[in-house]
Amino acid sequence: KQEVTQIPAALSVPEGENLVLNCSFTDSAIYNLQWFRQDPGKGLTSLLLIQSSQREQTSGRLNASLDKSSGRSTLYIAASQPGDSATYLCAVWDAGGTSYGKLTFGQGTILTVHP
Amino acid sequence: GAGVSQSPRYKVTKRGQDVALRCDPISGHVSLYWYRQALGQGPEFLTYFNYEAQQDKSGLPNDRFSAERPEGSISTLTIQRTEQRDSAMYRCASSPTWNEQYFGPGTRLTVT
């Protein structure tokens, strides 16, 4: 059974810092990995999707890397801003079997960026 | 265009009552997924559909939970004889193919 772990559980930083969120998964047979942002009272917003054949994806100040063999992904946020404060969730899409489409999520990292 | 919508956004019900949660996916999306999220946790998979066919229901916790998507578009998740442990955020997502999933705002269910 796939298990996804995110470290740290919470992070508080001053505005302007570069930061790294970590995600690890136990089964490397994945189809893709997706990073989401969750704001209170709202849905999940997809930030980046990395296919299993890719090693990284970039969008603006966000960069996500994937090392499938070691079961790790990192989300790098450059020059953090107070508006980045949210919960960040990592999810993997298992390959094979009947579980196509099933995302397994980590528990999330709660990020607070202070002005 | 419109995103995934869910209704109701909030539902308070008494223990023992049945509830039906609705998901309206993005138009043309083939796949539809249901997840449940407890406070402080990531979402957990419940079930998913390709068109009207339920492909995987391994995440449904027990036989009080069921889902349907009769015309391959709108889906309903039904919980019979609700219990307090069913209280959670229920999230729906849709996807055009085996790719990026787009989530709705969720339905917050509270069973009193």
Side-chain angles (χ1 to χ4, degrees), chain B residues 25-63:
Chain B
I26 294 172
S27 177
H29 278 195
V30 169
S31 301
L32 183 147
Y33 313 85
W34 284 99
Y35 295 85
R36 180 169 70 171
Q37 186 174 18
L39 203 61
Q41 301 295 317
E44 289 187 330
F45 172 81
L46 294 176
T47 185
Y48 92 99
F49 296 83
N50 280 341
Y51 300 102
E52 73 282 358
Q54 192 170 19
Q55 299 291 329
D56 185 350
K57 55 181 181 179
S58 62
L60 296 177
N62 52 60
D63 60 8

Tab-separated table of all heavy atoms in Angstrom, chain B residues 25-63:
chain	number	residue	atom	x	y	z
B	25	PRO	N	-18.892	17.835	-12.563
B	25	PRO	CA	-17.506	17.966	-13.029
B	25	PRO	C	-17.365	18.991	-14.141
B	25	PRO	O	-18.360	19.520	-14.665
B	25	PRO	CB	-17.202	16.562	-13.569
B	25	PRO	CG	-18.530	16.077	-14.067
B	25	PRO	CD	-19.539	16.635	-13.100
B	26	ILE	N	-16.136	19.252	-14.507
B	26	ILE	CA	-15.867	20.121	-15.649
B	26	ILE	C	-16.397	19.426	-16.904
B	26	ILE	O	-16.195	18.227	-17.096
B	26	ILE	CB	-14.359	20.411	-15.770
B	26	ILE	CG1	-13.908	21.241	-14.561
B	26	ILE	CG2	-14.038	21.131	-17.069
B	26	ILE	CD1	-12.407	21.431	-14.454
B	27	SER	N	-17.063	20.194	-17.750
B	27	SER	CA	-17.696	19.631	-18.933
B	27	SER	C	-16.681	18.893	-19.798
B	27	SER	O	-15.598	19.414	-20.098
B	27	SER	CB	-18.344	20.757	-19.746
B	27	SER	OG	-18.919	20.250	-20.933
B	28	GLY	N	-17.044	17.684	-20.166
B	28	GLY	CA	-16.179	16.898	-21.045
B	28	GLY	C	-15.160	16.039	-20.325
B	28	GLY	O	-14.495	15.205	-20.962
B	29	HIS	N	-15.025	16.213	-19.020
B	29	HIS	CA	-14.067	15.386	-18.294
B	29	HIS	C	-14.582	13.959	-18.151
B	29	HIS	O	-15.699	13.726	-17.709
B	29	HIS	CB	-13.774	15.990	-16.920
B	29	HIS	CG	-12.759	17.077	-16.963
B	29	HIS	ND1	-12.127	17.556	-15.837
B	29	HIS	CD2	-12.255	17.777	-17.998
B	29	HIS	CE1	-11.275	18.501	-16.188
B	29	HIS	NE2	-11.348	18.659	-17.491
B	30	VAL	N	-13.720	13.027	-18.516
B	30	VAL	CA	-14.093	11.616	-18.546
B	30	VAL	C	-14.154	11.019	-17.141
B	30	VAL	O	-15.051	10.269	-16.804
B	30	VAL	CB	-13.076	10.839	-19.407
B	30	VAL	CG1	-13.247	9.335	-19.254
B	30	VAL	CG2	-13.170	11.257	-20.859
B	31	SER	N	-13.168	11.377	-16.332
B	31	SER	CA	-13.012	10.719	-15.031
B	31	SER	C	-13.495	11.620	-13.905
B	31	SER	O	-13.317	12.841	-13.943
B	31	SER	CB	-11.550	10.353	-14.805
B	31	SER	OG	-11.093	9.493	-15.829
B	32	LEU	N	-14.083	10.984	-12.896
B	32	LEU	CA	-14.575	11.710	-11.726
B	32	LEU	C	-14.199	10.917	-10.489
B	32	LEU	O	-14.333	9.690	-10.456
B	32	LEU	CB	-16.094	11.884	-11.827
B	32	LEU	CG	-16.780	12.696	-10.726
B	32	LEU	CD1	-17.986	13.455	-11.291
B	32	LEU	CD2	-17.182	11.864	-9.550
B	33	TYR	N	-13.721	11.619	-9.475
B	33	TYR	CA	-13.193	10.986	-8.267
B	33	TYR	C	-13.855	11.579	-7.029
B	33	TYR	O	-14.145	12.767	-6.985
B	33	TYR	CB	-11.682	11.237	-8.145
B	33	TYR	CG	-10.909	10.996	-9.411
B	33	TYR	CD1	-10.799	11.990	-10.376
B	33	TYR	CD2	-10.281	9.776	-9.650
B	33	TYR	CE1	-10.086	11.782	-11.545
B	33	TYR	CE2	-9.564	9.563	-10.813
B	33	TYR	CZ	-9.474	10.564	-11.757
B	33	TYR	OH	-8.782	10.340	-12.916
B	34	TRP	N	-14.030	10.741	-6.026
B	34	TRP	CA	-14.493	11.188	-4.717
B	34	TRP	C	-13.402	10.893	-3.681
B	34	TRP	O	-12.819	9.798	-3.668
B	34	TRP	CB	-15.773	10.476	-4.304
B	34	TRP	CG	-17.010	10.960	-4.984
B	34	TRP	CD1	-17.648	10.404	-6.051
B	34	TRP	CD2	-17.787	12.102	-4.612
B	34	TRP	NE1	-18.772	11.132	-6.382
B	34	TRP	CE2	-18.882	12.178	-5.511
B	34	TRP	CE3	-17.692	13.074	-3.614
B	34	TRP	CZ2	-19.856	13.181	-5.433
B	34	TRP	CZ3	-18.651	14.062	-3.548
B	34	TRP	CH2	-19.726	14.113	-4.442
B	35	TYR	N	-13.172	11.904	-2.799
B	35	TYR	CA	-12.228	11.772	-1.708
B	35	TYR	C	-12.896	12.268	-0.434
B	35	TYR	O	-13.840	13.062	-0.474
B	35	TYR	CB	-10.972	12.619	-1.955
B	35	TYR	CG	-10.133	12.203	-3.135
B	35	TYR	CD1	-10.433	12.665	-4.415
B	35	TYR	CD2	-9.031	11.372	-2.974
B	35	TYR	CE1	-9.665	12.293	-5.503
B	35	TYR	CE2	-8.251	10.998	-4.063
B	35	TYR	CZ	-8.576	11.461	-5.317
B	35	TYR	OH	-7.806	11.091	-6.399
B	36	ARG	N	-12.350	11.829	0.696
B	36	ARG	CA	-12.822	12.318	1.997
B	36	ARG	C	-11.612	12.830	2.754
B	36	ARG	O	-10.552	12.180	2.766
B	36	ARG	CB	-13.502	11.184	2.775
B	36	ARG	CG	-14.015	11.598	4.138
B	36	ARG	CD	-14.892	10.546	4.760
B	36	ARG	NE	-14.170	9.352	5.167
B	36	ARG	CZ	-14.708	8.369	5.886
B	36	ARG	NH1	-15.986	8.442	6.236
B	36	ARG	NH2	-14.007	7.313	6.216
B	37	GLN	N	-11.778	13.992	3.400
B	37	GLN	CA	-10.663	14.608	4.099
B	37	GLN	C	-11.038	14.933	5.532
B	37	GLN	O	-11.947	15.722	5.771
B	37	GLN	CB	-10.211	15.885	3.370
B	37	GLN	CG	-8.965	16.522	3.954
B	37	GLN	CD	-8.473	17.695	3.132
B	37	GLN	OE1	-9.199	18.256	2.333
B	37	GLN	NE2	-7.225	18.078	3.319
B	38	ALA	N	-10.315	14.330	6.455
B	38	ALA	CA	-10.486	14.659	7.874
B	38	ALA	C	-9.634	15.873	8.193
B	38	ALA	O	-8.671	16.186	7.491
B	38	ALA	CB	-10.082	13.467	8.735
B	39	LEU	N	-9.984	16.542	9.263
B	39	LEU	CA	-9.274	17.762	9.651
B	39	LEU	C	-7.800	17.463	9.897
B	39	LEU	O	-7.449	16.521	10.597
B	39	LEU	CB	-9.919	18.334	10.915
B	39	LEU	CG	-9.718	19.816	11.183
B	39	LEU	CD1	-10.321	20.638	10.044
B	39	LEU	CD2	-10.353	20.213	12.502
B	40	GLY	N	-6.924	18.239	9.274
B	40	GLY	CA	-5.489	18.081	9.496
B	40	GLY	C	-4.854	16.949	8.722
B	40	GLY	O	-3.676	16.647	8.917
B	41	GLN	N	-5.623	16.326	7.848
B	41	GLN	CA	-5.109	15.211	7.054
B	41	GLN	C	-5.253	15.522	5.568
B	41	GLN	O	-5.996	16.419	5.174
B	41	GLN	CB	-5.873	13.922	7.375
B	41	GLN	CG	-5.797	13.496	8.830
B	41	GLN	CD	-4.397	13.127	9.231
B	41	GLN	OE1	-3.679	12.452	8.490
B	41	GLN	NE2	-3.980	13.563	10.409
B	42	GLY	N	-4.551	14.746	4.747
B	42	GLY	CA	-4.761	14.844	3.318
B	42	GLY	C	-6.005	14.077	2.912
B	42	GLY	O	-6.482	13.223	3.652
B	43	PRO	N	-6.546	14.368	1.739
B	43	PRO	CA	-7.722	13.628	1.268
B	43	PRO	C	-7.424	12.148	1.100
B	43	PRO	O	-6.301	11.768	0.754
B	43	PRO	CB	-8.024	14.286	-0.088
B	43	PRO	CG	-7.385	15.637	-0.021
B	43	PRO	CD	-6.165	15.456	0.817
B	44	GLU	N	-8.437	11.320	1.336
B	44	GLU	CA	-8.328	9.871	1.129
B	44	GLU	C	-9.309	9.445	0.045
B	44	GLU	O	-10.476	9.839	0.063
B	44	GLU	CB	-8.618	9.120	2.424
B	44	GLU	CG	-7.548	9.260	3.475
B	44	GLU	CD	-7.793	8.378	4.677
B	44	GLU	OE1	-8.968	8.120	4.978
B	44	GLU	OE2	-6.835	7.962	5.325
B	45	PHE	N	-8.817	8.616	-0.843
B	45	PHE	CA	-9.610	8.148	-1.984
B	45	PHE	C	-10.814	7.335	-1.537
B	45	PHE	O	-10.718	6.483	-0.647
B	45	PHE	CB	-8.711	7.292	-2.876
B	45	PHE	CG	-9.414	6.571	-3.987
B	45	PHE	CD1	-9.725	7.224	-5.159
B	45	PHE	CD2	-9.751	5.232	-3.846
B	45	PHE	CE1	-10.359	6.549	-6.193
B	45	PHE	CE2	-10.378	4.553	-4.870
B	45	PHE	CZ	-10.687	5.211	-6.050
B	46	LEU	N	-11.951	7.592	-2.178
B	46	LEU	CA	-13.154	6.794	-1.928
B	46	LEU	C	-13.493	5.923	-3.139
B	46	LEU	O	-13.592	4.707	-3.054
B	46	LEU	CB	-14.343	7.697	-1.603
B	46	LEU	CG	-14.260	8.496	-0.305
B	46	LEU	CD1	-15.465	9.413	-0.171
B	46	LEU	CD2	-14.168	7.572	0.896
B	47	THR	N	-13.684	6.580	-4.306
B	47	THR	CA	-14.110	5.855	-5.493
B	47	THR	C	-13.888	6.711	-6.726
B	47	THR	O	-13.682	7.925	-6.605
B	47	THR	CB	-15.600	5.464	-5.394
B	47	THR	OG1	-15.976	4.645	-6.522
B	47	THR	CG2	-16.511	6.689	-5.353
B	48	TYR	N	-13.899	6.066	-7.924
B	48	TYR	CA	-13.821	6.884	-9.124
B	48	TYR	C	-14.545	6.230	-10.293
B	48	TYR	O	-14.783	5.018	-10.306
B	48	TYR	CB	-12.376	7.259	-9.479
B	48	TYR	CG	-11.627	6.340	-10.417
B	48	TYR	CD1	-11.521	6.643	-11.772
B	48	TYR	CD2	-10.964	5.230	-9.927
B	48	TYR	CE1	-10.790	5.841	-12.618
B	48	TYR	CE2	-10.240	4.414	-10.773
B	48	TYR	CZ	-10.135	4.724	-12.118
B	48	TYR	OH	-9.415	3.928	-12.968
B	49	PHE	N	-14.889	7.061	-11.255
B	49	PHE	CA	-15.645	6.675	-12.445
B	49	PHE	C	-14.899	7.099	-13.702
B	49	PHE	O	-14.271	8.166	-13.739
B	49	PHE	CB	-17.010	7.388	-12.470
B	49	PHE	CG	-17.930	7.008	-11.350
B	49	PHE	CD1	-17.820	7.605	-10.098
B	49	PHE	CD2	-18.936	6.078	-11.548
B	49	PHE	CE1	-18.680	7.274	-9.068
B	49	PHE	CE2	-19.810	5.744	-10.523
B	49	PHE	CZ	-19.668	6.336	-9.286
B	50	ASN	N	-14.979	6.257	-14.715
B	50	ASN	CA	-14.683	6.667	-16.081
B	50	ASN	C	-16.010	6.637	-16.817
B	50	ASN	O	-16.652	5.584	-16.910
B	50	ASN	CB	-13.682	5.736	-16.761
B	50	ASN	CG	-12.261	6.023	-16.372
B	50	ASN	OD1	-11.949	7.111	-15.881
B	50	ASN	ND2	-11.379	5.073	-16.579
B	51	TYR	N	-16.413	7.795	-17.348
B	51	TYR	CA	-17.775	7.925	-17.886
B	51	TYR	C	-18.754	7.490	-16.801
B	51	TYR	O	-18.671	7.979	-15.681
B	51	TYR	CB	-17.935	7.106	-19.166
B	51	TYR	CG	-16.985	7.528	-20.270
B	51	TYR	CD1	-15.839	6.794	-20.549
B	51	TYR	CD2	-17.234	8.673	-21.025
B	51	TYR	CE1	-14.966	7.188	-21.543
B	51	TYR	CE2	-16.359	9.071	-22.028
B	51	TYR	CZ	-15.236	8.313	-22.295
B	51	TYR	OH	-14.373	8.708	-23.284
B	52	GLU	N	-19.662	6.580	-17.086
B	52	GLU	CA	-20.647	6.173	-16.080
B	52	GLU	C	-20.212	4.938	-15.301
B	52	GLU	O	-20.900	4.522	-14.363
B	52	GLU	CB	-22.002	5.917	-16.749
B	52	GLU	CG	-22.080	4.644	-17.585
B	52	GLU	CD	-21.418	4.787	-18.943
B	52	GLU	OE1	-20.920	5.892	-19.256
B	52	GLU	OE2	-21.401	3.791	-19.688
B	53	ALA	N	-19.093	4.345	-15.677
B	53	ALA	CA	-18.652	3.101	-15.053
B	53	ALA	C	-17.811	3.366	-13.803
B	53	ALA	O	-16.811	4.092	-13.849
B	53	ALA	CB	-17.848	2.286	-16.058
B	54	GLN	N	-18.225	2.756	-12.714
B	54	GLN	CA	-17.458	2.864	-11.476
B	54	GLN	C	-16.282	1.891	-11.560
B	54	GLN	O	-16.451	0.675	-11.547
B	54	GLN	CB	-18.351	2.538	-10.276
B	54	GLN	CG	-17.741	2.900	-8.945
B	54	GLN	CD	-18.738	2.780	-7.800
B	54	GLN	OE1	-19.768	2.120	-7.922
B	54	GLN	NE2	-18.459	3.428	-6.672
B	55	GLN	N	-15.074	2.448	-11.623
B	55	GLN	CA	-13.876	1.652	-11.879
B	55	GLN	C	-13.260	1.083	-10.609
B	55	GLN	O	-12.640	0.031	-10.635
B	55	GLN	CB	-12.838	2.498	-12.609
B	55	GLN	CG	-13.278	3.021	-13.963
B	55	GLN	CD	-13.409	1.912	-14.983
B	55	GLN	OE1	-12.704	0.920	-14.938
B	55	GLN	NE2	-14.359	2.059	-15.909
B	56	ASP	N	-13.392	1.811	-9.534
B	56	ASP	CA	-12.720	1.407	-8.301
B	56	ASP	C	-13.502	1.987	-7.136
B	56	ASP	O	-13.705	3.195	-7.081
B	56	ASP	CB	-11.279	1.933	-8.306
B	56	ASP	CG	-10.467	1.460	-7.104
B	56	ASP	OD1	-11.046	0.891	-6.160
B	56	ASP	OD2	-9.240	1.663	-7.111
B	57	LYS	N	-13.984	1.131	-6.261
B	57	LYS	CA	-14.700	1.617	-5.075
B	57	LYS	C	-14.051	1.076	-3.814
B	57	LYS	O	-14.697	0.974	-2.765
B	57	LYS	CB	-16.173	1.258	-5.132
B	57	LYS	CG	-16.478	-0.225	-5.320
B	57	LYS	CD	-17.992	-0.430	-5.376
B	57	LYS	CE	-18.328	-1.902	-5.533
B	57	LYS	NZ	-19.796	-2.139	-5.575
B	58	SER	N	-12.782	0.769	-3.932
B	58	SER	CA	-12.072	0.149	-2.817
B	58	SER	C	-11.943	1.050	-1.597
B	58	SER	O	-11.736	0.570	-0.492
B	58	SER	CB	-10.671	-0.289	-3.274
B	58	SER	OG	-9.908	0.829	-3.683
B	59	GLY	N	-12.078	2.362	-1.801
B	59	GLY	CA	-11.930	3.276	-0.689
B	59	GLY	C	-13.209	3.559	0.085
B	59	GLY	O	-13.163	4.197	1.139
B	60	LEU	N	-14.329	3.098	-0.412
B	60	LEU	CA	-15.584	3.296	0.332
B	60	LEU	C	-15.487	2.535	1.652
B	60	LEU	O	-15.239	1.328	1.645
B	60	LEU	CB	-16.773	2.824	-0.490
B	60	LEU	CG	-17.039	3.587	-1.785
B	60	LEU	CD1	-18.202	2.974	-2.556
B	60	LEU	CD2	-17.311	5.064	-1.504
B	61	PRO	N	-15.715	3.202	2.779
B	61	PRO	CA	-15.431	2.574	4.078
B	61	PRO	C	-16.341	1.411	4.446
B	61	PRO	O	-15.902	0.493	5.133
B	61	PRO	CB	-15.571	3.728	5.077
B	61	PRO	CG	-16.264	4.818	4.359
B	61	PRO	CD	-16.074	4.626	2.923
B	62	ASN	N	-17.568	1.432	4.009
B	62	ASN	CA	-18.511	0.338	4.308
B	62	ASN	C	-19.706	0.444	3.369
B	62	ASN	O	-19.761	1.347	2.521
B	62	ASN	CB	-18.948	0.405	5.777
B	62	ASN	CG	-19.468	1.777	6.168
B	62	ASN	OD1	-20.441	2.262	5.591
B	62	ASN	ND2	-18.796	2.420	7.118
B	63	ASP	N	-20.645	-0.460	3.515
B	63	ASP	CA	-21.754	-0.516	2.550
B	63	ASP	C	-22.802	0.570	2.769
B	63	ASP	O	-23.801	0.615	2.057
B	63	ASP	CB	-22.403	-1.904	2.536
B	63	ASP	CG	-22.965	-2.295	3.893
B	63	ASP	OD1	-23.000	-1.428	4.816
B	63	ASP	OD2	-23.368	-3.452	4.048
